[in-house]
Amino acid sequence: MIVFENISKTYGKNVKAVRNLNLHIEKGEFVFVMGDSGSGKSTLIRLLLKEIDPTSGEITVDGENITAMKRSRIPRYRRKLGVVFQDFRLLRDRNVYENVAFAQRVVGTSSRQIRQDVPKLLTRVGLSAKYKAFPNELSGGEQQRVAIARALVNRPDILLCDEPTGNLDARNAWEVMRLLEEINEEGTTVVVVTHSQEIVDQMNRRVIIMNRGDMIDDSLESGDEA
Ligand code: ADP
Ligand code: MG
């Protein structure tokens, strides 16, 4: 479903963030992306979001070449994707309910549908009792679960997570990982950038390792996946 074909991304004249990357991710897969800071992980996420375009190569998602995609098509393409960041990125002046509902309002979902979907999603992430709370009244783990609910409310096929547990303590990190695992079991393709060797070791999923723009390991290829 996601194909990177000979992808390179150079920022400015000579910052080679990603070099000649070839990668296939199947529908329904759960993939970790690891690597030191600056190795190109967020660049991969931004390429998929079409926030940036590759310097060379082609990216295909669901059979559609997104590199050649018309601008007018981008908003609809992005609805296939949910995204979660390390720093949550919630709207500070809106409560939990409105943070999730907002993602539906911007794509023109009916109020009736929003009233159905938002409580369901908040129950799903274990936050139905906190729907009126504001982000600053929530723990980091709770804020991240709101962000996950928001990422899922438009029913994306792919969930992209850039260090989703980077700001969380171990217990909250595991709660978030369990949630991502459940979401994947329900059929969503999940890509998770992480620094946590412990999480990667315990989850036993495909792991891609980036180093200075090169993919230096893929557990699927090297066969050390369980
Ligand atoms: P990671 O997420 O693995 O830390 P990034 O993909 O953010 O790595 O960055 C890869 C490389 O590209 C780094 O050297 C970083 O400094 C550089 N880089 C990232 N974004 C930009 C940008 N907008 N302009 C210039 N250089 C950038
Ligand atoms: Mg990054």
Side-chain angles (χ1 to χ4, degrees), residues 11 24 40 58 65 70 75 100 115 128 148 165 169 203 218 223:
Y11 292 107
H24 284 236
E58 265 181 22
N65 179 346
K70 281 191 195 153
V100 179
R115 281 196 301 270
S128 53
I148 292 170
T165 62
D169 60 32
M203 296 274 291
D218 178 354

Side-chain angles (χ1 to χ4, degrees), residues 113-126 155:
Q113 188 75 43
I114 293 174
R115 281 196 301 270
Q116 262 182 30
D117 290 345
V118 177
K120 242 190 247 170
L121 253 302
L122 290 177
T123 302
R124 179 80 191 70
V125 301
R155 299 181 180 81

Side-chain angles (χ1 to χ4, degrees), residues 80-91:
K80 271 191 221 273
L81 311 171
V83 60
V84 174
F85 298 99
Q86 177 172 5
D87 56 0
F88 322 131
R89 303 198 190 175
L90 300 176
L91 301 166

Side-chain angles (χ1 to χ4, degrees), residues 2-13:
I2 300 172
V3 181
F4 282 75
E5 215 178 312
N6 260 307
I7 289 298
S8 294
K9 173 65 189 178
T10 306
Y11 292 107
K13 278 211 164 81

